[in-house]
Amino acid sequence: MSNATSHHAVIDLGSNSFHMLVVRKVAGSIQPLNRIKQKVRLAAGLDAKNCLSQASLERGWQCLTLFATSLQNIPRHQIRVVATAALRLASNADLFLARARDILNCSIEVISGEEEARLIYQGMAQNTIGSEKRLVVDIGGGSTELIAGIGTQANILVSLPMGCVTWLDRYFHNAVLSSQNFAQAEQSAREIIRPVSVNFRHHGWQICVGTSGIVQRLQEIMINQGMDELITLERLQQLKQKAIVCGNIKSLDIAGLTLERTGVFPSGLSILIAIFQELNIESMSLSGGGLREGLLYEMLC
């Protein structure tokens, strides 16, 4: 039986999903033991005054009760829990966090968008060998992080107030997939990206990687349809047209897209298209690391 004192855990309280990663450190190597992802959609519970609904609070607490069973024997100083966009924004975040701390029996940090971006880049850098100039894109539930760096050094850190849950509620709330809905979602995203685009273009990049679920889903679709794993604007536009033909989120039928993942697919797709267009990205691949890996790296190194 493994020694639980060698176990470490990181938890990411995201705006769409809560994630937990438990690892064991043995002889200098890190072995993943348990990964749990629960779709909580916390950001969907924010009202016009940024107050989280009781239902969204309960979903979050229920998820953390599940996580807590895996943390019982891990020393508290070997657990790190961070909260991101939805809890940065929520006017009643303190209410959620007070009970969440009791459930997990450990502290929770609400990190800034810039800190989130830094950790995402750190997690990517630990899983991607090379000293090239890089552009990293992470589309979350309530925010989108753009980071430019060289090798392991992040040089530009930006967190933008748009995400696949907030864009779903704002532009696809009626579940209709039309050219007009996509156009509005893309245009709004482009307007948010535009003020920072010059800095990123000036910095430049040789490699562009995505670290979020929407990029993973796109890659799965492409592999399922017999393509290589490279994401391009042309392929994104083709997928958008297929979605529009389906007409409704509930009717989405794209080979490689599972039913469980259809909900925020159109909103994430619209944001990614806007990023490709504003930054003139030629192609993007999937990174093997992101926020959770960045948290782990800082805890263990």
Side-chain angles (χ1 to χ4, degrees):
M1 184 175 289
S2 62
N3 182 358
T5 58
S6 67
H7 294 185
H8 295 72
V10 292
I11 295 176
D12 161 21
L13 307 183
S15 303
N16 187 37
S17 301
F18 285 5
H19 297 258
M20 181 176 70
L21 172 59
V22 179
V23 303
R24 178 174 60 209
K25 191 174 183 181
V26 181
S29 68
I30 299 169
Q31 302 171 352
L33 295 177
N34 193 13
R35 289 180 186 268
I36 304 177
K37 172 187 175 183
Q38 289 272 35
K39 192 165 286 187
V40 176
R41 294 192 71 234
L42 205 62
L46 290 167
D47 64 16
K49 295 182 179 179
N50 288 329
C51 184
L52 287 165
S53 68
Q54 189 62 33
S56 64
L57 293 171
E58 294 289 348
R59 288 196 303 272
W61 291 329
Q62 286 172 12
C63 175
L64 296 183
T65 301
L66 170 67
F67 286 1
T69 61
S70 298
L71 301 175
Q72 292 173 359
N73 298 319
I74 303 177
R76 297 300 100 177
H77 68 278
Q78 290 170 200
I79 301 170
R80 190 171 178 194
V81 188
V82 299
T84 58
L87 288 165
R88 286 197 289 267
L89 197 58
S91 58
N92 57 344
D94 287 348
L95 172 64
F96 177 83
L97 292 167
R99 185 166 170 193
R101 291 184 181 107
D102 286 342
I103 293 169
L104 296 175
N105 190 28
C106 59
S107 62
I108 300 172
E109 306 166 66
V110 180
I111 57 175
S112 69
E114 186 172 287
E115 174 67 358
E116 183 178 358
R118 187 188 69 79
L119 287 164
I120 288 167
Y121 192 88
Q122 189 68 255
M124 177 281 306
Q126 298 312 310
N127 286 270
T128 311
I129 298 170
S131 57
E132 302 93 343
K133 285 188 175 183
R134 301 170 182 182
L135 172 67
V136 181
V137 177
D138 187 283
I139 301 171
S143 67
T144 292
E145 280 66 48
L146 302 176
I147 313 103
I150 302 174
T152 59
Q153 177 62 49
N155 296 328
I156 306 174
L157 302 165
V158 171
S159 181
L160 301 172
M162 59 183 182
C164 57
V165 175
T166 49
W167 250 231
L168 172 66
D169 295 336
R170 196 173 300 176
Y171 299 104
F172 301 94
H173 62 276
N174 56 6
V176 172
L177 300 175
S178 66
S179 298
Q180 183 180 12
N181 285 16
F182 270 102
Q184 290 174 344
E186 290 168 28
Q187 183 58 33
S188 292
R190 291 186 71 164
E191 288 170 3
I192 290 173
I193 300 160
R194 195 163 295 141
V196 302
S197 62
V198 172
N199 282 347
F200 281 97
R201 289 183 192 174
H202 180 72
H203 181 281
W205 58 89
Q206 295 158 287
I207 296 173
C208 176
V209 296
T211 63
S212 51
I214 182 66
V215 177
Q216 184 178 353
R217 282 191 284 276
L218 287 164
Q219 197 175 80
E220 288 167 358
I221 290 168
M222 289 170 186
I223 292 169
N224 186 277
Q225 296 186 10
M227 295 183 256
D228 62 35
E229 300 175 355
L230 216 54
I231 297 165
T232 65
L233 182 57
E234 181 183 5
R235 289 177 176 179
L236 295 178
Q237 297 285 19
Q238 288 171 357
L239 285 175
K240 178 175 76 172
Q241 291 309 314
K242 288 183 179 181
I244 290 169
V245 169
C246 293
N248 192 287
I249 289 176
K250 295 176 183 176
S251 305
L252 261 178
D253 184 18
I254 296 174
L257 180 63
T258 61
L259 182 63
E260 174 207 357
R261 295 174 170 178
T262 56
V264 295
F265 178 75
S267 51
L269 179 60
S270 66
I271 292 172
L272 193 56
I273 287 172
I275 292 170
F276 263 74
Q277 291 174 329
E278 280 300 312
L279 297 182
N280 291 334
I281 296 171
E282 291 182 5
S283 64
M284 174 185 289
S285 58
L286 177 67
S287 167
L291 176 58
R292 289 172 295 286
E293 289 75 18
L295 288 166
L296 261 182
Y297 174 77
E298 294 212 330
M299 195 192 307
L300 297 173
C301 299

Short mmCIF file of all heavy atoms in Angstrom, two decimals, residues 61 64-65 68 76 94-108:
data_model
loop_
_atom_site.label_atom_id
_atom_site.label_comp_id
_atom_site.label_asym_id
_atom_site.label_seq_id
_atom_site.Cartn_x
_atom_site.Cartn_y
_atom_site.Cartn_z
N TRP A 61 -20.92 22.69 -4.03
CA TRP A 61 -20.68 22.04 -2.73
C TRP A 61 -20.79 20.51 -2.85
O TRP A 61 -20.00 19.80 -2.23
CB TRP A 61 -21.66 22.57 -1.70
CG TRP A 61 -21.41 24.01 -1.33
CD1 TRP A 61 -20.19 24.66 -1.29
CD2 TRP A 61 -22.38 24.97 -0.94
NE1 TRP A 61 -20.36 25.97 -0.91
CE2 TRP A 61 -21.69 26.19 -0.68
CE3 TRP A 61 -23.77 24.95 -0.78
CZ2 TRP A 61 -22.35 27.35 -0.28
CZ3 TRP A 61 -24.43 26.09 -0.37
CH2 TRP A 61 -23.73 27.29 -0.12
N LEU A 64 -17.59 19.21 -4.32
CA LEU A 64 -16.47 19.24 -3.37
C LEU A 64 -16.61 18.17 -2.29
O LEU A 64 -15.60 17.66 -1.79
CB LEU A 64 -16.37 20.63 -2.73
CG LEU A 64 -16.03 21.76 -3.71
CD1 LEU A 64 -15.88 23.08 -2.97
CD2 LEU A 64 -14.76 21.45 -4.49
N THR A 65 -17.83 17.80 -1.95
CA THR A 65 -18.05 16.71 -1.00
C THR A 65 -17.50 15.40 -1.58
O THR A 65 -16.90 14.59 -0.88
CB THR A 65 -19.55 16.57 -0.68
OG1 THR A 65 -20.02 17.81 -0.12
CG2 THR A 65 -19.80 15.45 0.31
N ALA A 68 -13.68 15.58 -1.44
CA ALA A 68 -13.14 15.49 -0.08
C ALA A 68 -12.82 14.06 0.32
O ALA A 68 -11.89 13.83 1.11
CB ALA A 68 -14.13 16.11 0.91
N ARG A 76 -2.52 18.51 4.70
CA ARG A 76 -3.15 19.73 4.17
C ARG A 76 -2.16 20.60 3.39
O ARG A 76 -2.54 21.26 2.43
CB ARG A 76 -3.76 20.57 5.31
CG ARG A 76 -4.87 19.88 6.07
CD ARG A 76 -6.06 19.51 5.21
NE ARG A 76 -6.04 18.10 4.82
CZ ARG A 76 -7.00 17.51 4.10
NH1 ARG A 76 -8.05 18.20 3.70
NH2 ARG A 76 -6.91 16.24 3.77
N ASP A 94 -17.89 34.82 -1.10
CA ASP A 94 -17.52 34.49 0.29
C ASP A 94 -18.43 33.42 0.87
O ASP A 94 -17.98 32.56 1.64
CB ASP A 94 -17.55 35.74 1.17
CG ASP A 94 -16.39 36.69 0.87
OD1 ASP A 94 -15.45 36.25 0.16
OD2 ASP A 94 -16.43 37.84 1.32
N LEU A 95 -19.71 33.46 0.52
CA LEU A 95 -20.68 32.46 0.99
C LEU A 95 -20.29 31.07 0.48
O LEU A 95 -20.26 30.10 1.24
CB LEU A 95 -22.08 32.82 0.50
CG LEU A 95 -23.19 31.79 0.74
CD1 LEU A 95 -23.42 31.59 2.23
CD2 LEU A 95 -24.48 32.23 0.05
N PHE A 96 -19.97 31.00 -0.80
CA PHE A 96 -19.57 29.71 -1.38
C PHE A 96 -18.27 29.22 -0.76
O PHE A 96 -18.14 28.06 -0.37
CB PHE A 96 -19.40 29.83 -2.90
CG PHE A 96 -18.91 28.54 -3.51
CD1 PHE A 96 -19.80 27.53 -3.82
CD2 PHE A 96 -17.56 28.34 -3.74
CE1 PHE A 96 -19.35 26.32 -4.35
CE2 PHE A 96 -17.09 27.15 -4.28
CZ PHE A 96 -17.99 26.13 -4.58
N LEU A 97 -17.29 30.12 -0.66
CA LEU A 97 -15.95 29.72 -0.22
C LEU A 97 -15.92 29.30 1.24
O LEU A 97 -15.17 28.38 1.61
CB LEU A 97 -14.97 30.87 -0.46
CG LEU A 97 -14.68 31.18 -1.94
CD1 LEU A 97 -13.97 32.52 -2.07
CD2 LEU A 97 -13.85 30.07 -2.57
N ALA A 98 -16.73 29.93 2.09
CA ALA A 98 -16.73 29.57 3.51
C ALA A 98 -17.13 28.10 3.69
O ALA A 98 -16.47 27.35 4.42
CB ALA A 98 -17.68 30.48 4.28
N ARG A 99 -18.19 27.70 3.01
CA ARG A 99 -18.63 26.30 3.14
C ARG A 99 -17.66 25.37 2.41
O ARG A 99 -17.40 24.26 2.87
CB ARG A 99 -20.06 26.14 2.61
CG ARG A 99 -20.58 24.74 2.85
CD ARG A 99 -22.06 24.64 2.66
NE ARG A 99 -22.49 23.25 2.68
CZ ARG A 99 -23.70 22.84 2.29
NH1 ARG A 99 -24.60 23.72 1.89
NH2 ARG A 99 -24.01 21.56 2.33
N ALA A 100 -17.14 25.83 1.28
CA ALA A 100 -16.20 25.00 0.51
C ALA A 100 -14.96 24.68 1.34
O ALA A 100 -14.46 23.55 1.32
CB ALA A 100 -15.80 25.72 -0.78
N ARG A 101 -14.47 25.66 2.10
CA ARG A 101 -13.30 25.42 2.96
C ARG A 101 -13.61 24.41 4.05
O ARG A 101 -12.78 23.58 4.41
CB ARG A 101 -12.82 26.75 3.57
CG ARG A 101 -12.20 27.70 2.55
CD ARG A 101 -11.65 28.96 3.20
NE ARG A 101 -11.09 29.86 2.20
CZ ARG A 101 -11.65 31.00 1.80
NH1 ARG A 101 -12.82 31.39 2.32
NH2 ARG A 101 -11.07 31.76 0.89
N ASP A 102 -14.83 24.48 4.58
CA ASP A 102 -15.23 23.51 5.61
C ASP A 102 -15.30 22.10 5.02
O ASP A 102 -14.88 21.13 5.65
CB ASP A 102 -16.60 23.89 6.18
CG ASP A 102 -16.53 25.09 7.12
OD1 ASP A 102 -15.41 25.41 7.58
OD2 ASP A 102 -17.57 25.72 7.37
N ILE A 103 -15.85 21.98 3.82
CA ILE A 103 -15.99 20.67 3.17
C ILE A 103 -14.63 20.05 2.90
O ILE A 103 -14.40 18.87 3.17
CB ILE A 103 -16.80 20.79 1.87
CG1 ILE A 103 -18.25 21.18 2.16
CG2 ILE A 103 -16.75 19.48 1.07
CD1 ILE A 103 -19.04 21.58 0.91
N LEU A 104 -13.71 20.84 2.36
CA LEU A 104 -12.39 20.33 1.98
C LEU A 104 -11.40 20.33 3.14
O LEU A 104 -10.36 19.67 3.06
CB LEU A 104 -11.81 21.16 0.83
CG LEU A 104 -12.57 21.11 -0.50
CD1 LEU A 104 -11.94 22.08 -1.49
CD2 LEU A 104 -12.59 19.70 -1.09
N ASN A 105 -11.71 21.11 4.17
CA ASN A 105 -10.81 21.26 5.32
C ASN A 105 -9.44 21.77 4.90
O ASN A 105 -8.40 21.31 5.37
CB ASN A 105 -10.68 19.94 6.08
CG ASN A 105 -9.95 20.12 7.41
OD1 ASN A 105 -10.00 21.17 8.01
ND2 ASN A 105 -9.27 19.06 7.85
N CYS A 106 -9.45 22.72 3.96
CA CYS A 106 -8.19 23.36 3.57
C CYS A 106 -8.48 24.73 2.97
O CYS A 106 -9.64 25.06 2.68
CB CYS A 106 -7.39 22.50 2.60
SG CYS A 106 -8.24 22.09 1.10
N SER A 107 -7.45 25.52 2.79
CA SER A 107 -7.63 26.88 2.28
C SER A 107 -7.90 26.87 0.78
O SER A 107 -7.56 25.92 0.08
CB SER A 107 -6.40 27.73 2.58
OG SER A 107 -5.27 27.18 1.93
N ILE A 108 -8.52 27.94 0.29
CA ILE A 108 -8.82 28.10 -1.13
C ILE A 108 -8.37 29.50 -1.54
O ILE A 108 -8.71 30.48 -0.90
CB ILE A 108 -10.33 27.93 -1.42
CG1 ILE A 108 -10.81 26.54 -0.99
CG2 ILE A 108 -10.63 28.17 -2.91
CD1 ILE A 108 -12.32 26.36 -1.07
#
